[in-house]
Amino acid sequence: MDYWRHVEWRRWGSWREFVAQLRAEARLWFIESGGPRHYAEVAYGPDDYLVFGRETAGLPKALLEEHRDCWLRIPMLHPDARSLNLSNARRWCCSRH
């Protein structure tokens, strides 16, 4: 990937470690097919995070059920173009600030 030098990234040892360092006003939005709300129905804040699962397995169902009110979907217009939904979500969410 040719863009790594342009981003600031971190890696946490575990999900629990990541959640523990979040600011109090941070919200997690879980993006997965089958989500009850469309991603464009949400007003995103500067401390919000979009959480995506692995392309092959998605997010754990237990995590989605635990956070059902923050479970969003991005429509898939073509099943063979999986990455387009992720890139379009980032552009749409970030352009609203």
Side-chain angles (χ1 to χ4, degrees):
M1 292 187 282
D2 61 351
Y3 57 81
W4 282 111
R5 68 182 182 276
H6 302 292
V7 298
E8 180 181 329
W9 65 277
R10 283 183 162 170
R11 182 179 176 134
W12 288 270
S14 68
W15 175 256
R16 182 171 283 141
E17 203 177 300
F18 166 69
V19 172
Q21 64 82 41
L22 293 175
R23 296 172 51 149
E25 55 274 6
R27 291 182 301 172
L28 300 175
W29 298 103
F30 299 88
I31 312 297
E32 184 66 59
S33 63
R37 293 192 326 191
H38 189 279
Y39 77 102
E41 296 173 14
V42 173
Y44 299 93
D47 293 310
D48 288 0
Y49 291 82
L50 301 178
V51 180
F52 294 87
R54 292 184 312 190
E55 198 170 355
T56 56
L59 291 167
K61 293 299 176 198
L63 187 64
L64 294 171
E65 290 300 329
E66 182 181 341
H67 301 282
R68 191 163 185 76
D69 57 329
C70 298
W71 178 6
L72 307 174
R73 73 179 180 284
I74 299 175
M76 293 295 298
L77 303 178
H78 193 291
D80 293 330
R82 294 184 312 266
S83 297
L84 291 178
N85 65 347
L86 174 58
S87 64
N88 289 331
R90 192 227 175 269
R91 179 175 47 216
W92 190 87
C93 294
C94 295
S95 68
R96 298 185 67 194
H97 294 292

